Amino acid sequence: MQIGILGSGVTAQTIGSRLVQLGHEVMLGSRDEANPPAVTWANDAGQHALYGTFMNAAAFGEIVFNCTLGSASLDALTQAGAENLQGKILIDTANPLDRSTDVWTLTICNTDSLGEQIQRAFPETKVVKTLNTVNANVMVDPAKLLEKTDVFMSGNDIEAKATVKAILRDWFGWKSVIDLGNITTARSVEMYVLLWHSLRNAISSQRFNIKVVTS
Amino acid sequence: MQIGILGSGVTAQTIGSRLVQLGHEVMLGSRDEANPPAVTWANDAGQHALYGTFMNAAAFGEIVFNCTLGSASLDALTQAGAENLQGKILIDTANPLDRSTDVWTLTICNTDSLGEQIQRAFPETKVVKTLNTVNANVMVDPAKLLEKTDVFMSGNDIEAKATVKAILRDWFGWKSVIDLGNITTARSVEMYVLLWHSLRNAISSQRFNIKVVTS
């Protein structure tokens, strides 16, 4: 499958490398056509690893991942172009974080979320928020954790969520995907990221996740 | 031990009953001296179960629990009186929730928390935020869940947190208590409650909690 990834940081590269390993053709999109980290990644990751602008990557992808920083996501998606995202599934992994102080804050929260803002700005794109609650390494290899944990999914389109659930299971190995409901539940998972940050500080590791335990 | 509990709702009664079972003397505090739910609870729970005003309960307790609604907590604590809380541990279980719409929101979040507001308003009280991430039944009986899960703790006073950790373990059975850090981390656990709410809707149960799984 052809997959577009918006972003060229650790998350974009980690997801991109996993998808290339699986035999997909992957294009990392950046603000500039030849973003140095994306070029280096493409050179290292083999012939199915490509790079281009946000617009190139969105047009290339049958499915598109948003792996930009939350603060840059709406701008990156605008550059990608609504016509290049129309009718497609957009897997949104970003968090609207301000990390400029020791105690992180969110730039959007409580009565709105980045996931909702993206869905409102691109009404003909099927936005599915997921994977934002774990570090990039855990995203693509949850089996590295000592026990099976949960990943969450928020979105308005039932069929798109079924496709994303299969992607999470078959490509990344997520055995438990909890559908939280429509895109307003993106607030829940974005706001959880502050607990993720407190936990990271408390346990001095980024390789962890949570498991929901019932009675 | 003499324990004061501010509040007369399900959380106050559930914690109160557990503490009476353990042999403690417990007073539930309310706005009015003879709040009907508190009177009924005290009549049912035996001779060590008492009721009174917020002020009576705070003065009575060697340790005080805040089990009021988040929206009413600061007012209740003001009525309790700083002089009756001075030097004491205040275990804050409340969440600043607005439940008036289907999608819950917080009345305080992101750059502040109820836990911090209480600590600022009562600087001579040792505020420890904990238990707010689970339903009342899970608070006092975490062993009912299928696996050991985690409860979190936020506060500025190291000794107070050590005492609260022992209380959580010995009185309620919490085998894993994660110290998140100072009271600013109350933001993390209060903001998590929106994910708790989404999970409650997704799994149609209030009897659950999360377990942190590392690699």
Side-chain angles (χ1 to χ4, degrees), chain B residues 77-198:
Chain B
L77 287 158
T78 302
Q79 288 185 46
E83 67 281 13
N84 296 314
L85 296 163
Q86 191 173 20
K88 295 181 184 175
I89 292 173
L90 177 69
I91 298 178
D92 174 28
T93 72
N95 285 307
L97 284 168
D98 178 350
R99 308 188 209 197
S100 63
T101 53
D102 277 352
V103 181
W104 289 0
T105 57
L106 294 168
T107 57
I108 309 161
C109 77
N110 200 29
T111 54
D112 202 0
S113 61
L114 179 62
E116 288 166 272
Q117 289 195 355
I118 293 172
Q119 184 61 85
R120 285 200 303 274
F122 299 89
E124 293 177 41
T125 297
K126 298 160 190 166
V127 178
V128 179
K129 183 106 208 174
T130 190
L131 293 174
N132 70 303
T133 54
V134 288
N135 158 282
N137 290 304
V138 176
M139 287 183 187
V140 300
D141 199 0
K144 280 254 176 69
L145 301 180
L146 293 170
E147 295 176 40
K148 190 189 76 170
T149 60
D150 295 293
V151 72
F152 311 105
M153 193 170 62
S154 307
N156 294 339
D157 191 291
I158 305 291
E159 283 181 36
K161 285 194 283 190
T163 302
V164 171
K165 187 171 182 172
I167 285 173
L168 291 169
R169 183 189 63 217
D170 299 339
W171 296 359
F172 301 144
W174 285 98
K175 291 178 181 168
S176 173
V177 180
I178 299 180
D179 182 352
L180 295 176
N182 68 32
I183 195 67
T184 63
T185 61
R187 296 175 200 178
S188 304
V189 286
E190 293 178 11
M191 289 168 79
Y192 161 78
V193 173
L194 297 192
L195 179 56
W196 181 91
H197 185 230
S198 293

Side-chain angles (χ1 to χ4, degrees), chain B residues 1-5 57-58 60-65 88-91 163-164 167 171:
Chain B
M1 193 181 276
Q2 293 192 176
I3 298 160
I5 299 182
F60 179 81
E62 296 165 68
I63 285 178
V64 179
F65 283 78
K88 295 181 184 175
I89 292 173
L90 177 69
I91 298 178
T163 302
V164 171
I167 285 173
W171 296 359

Side-chain angles (χ1 to χ4, degrees), chain A residues 1-81:
Chain A
M1 192 182 276
Q2 292 193 176
I3 298 160
I5 299 182
L6 307 182
S8 54
V10 173
T11 301
Q13 292 187 24
T14 305
I15 289 179
S17 295
R18 178 82 183 118
L19 296 178
V20 169
Q21 282 168 7
L22 290 167
H24 299 290
E25 290 189 280
V26 178
M27 186 183 291
L28 255 55
S30 311
R31 189 169 307 274
D32 304 316
E33 192 173 353
N35 172 280
V39 174
T40 304
W41 172 81
N43 288 338
D44 291 349
Q47 62 177 355
H48 293 302
L50 311 166
Y51 61 88
T53 62
F54 288 130
M55 194 169 69
N56 298 149
F60 179 81
E62 297 165 68
I63 285 177
V64 180
F65 283 76
N66 175 32
C67 300
T68 60
L69 292 176
S71 54
S73 291
L74 280 164
D75 189 38
L77 287 158
T78 302
Q79 289 184 48

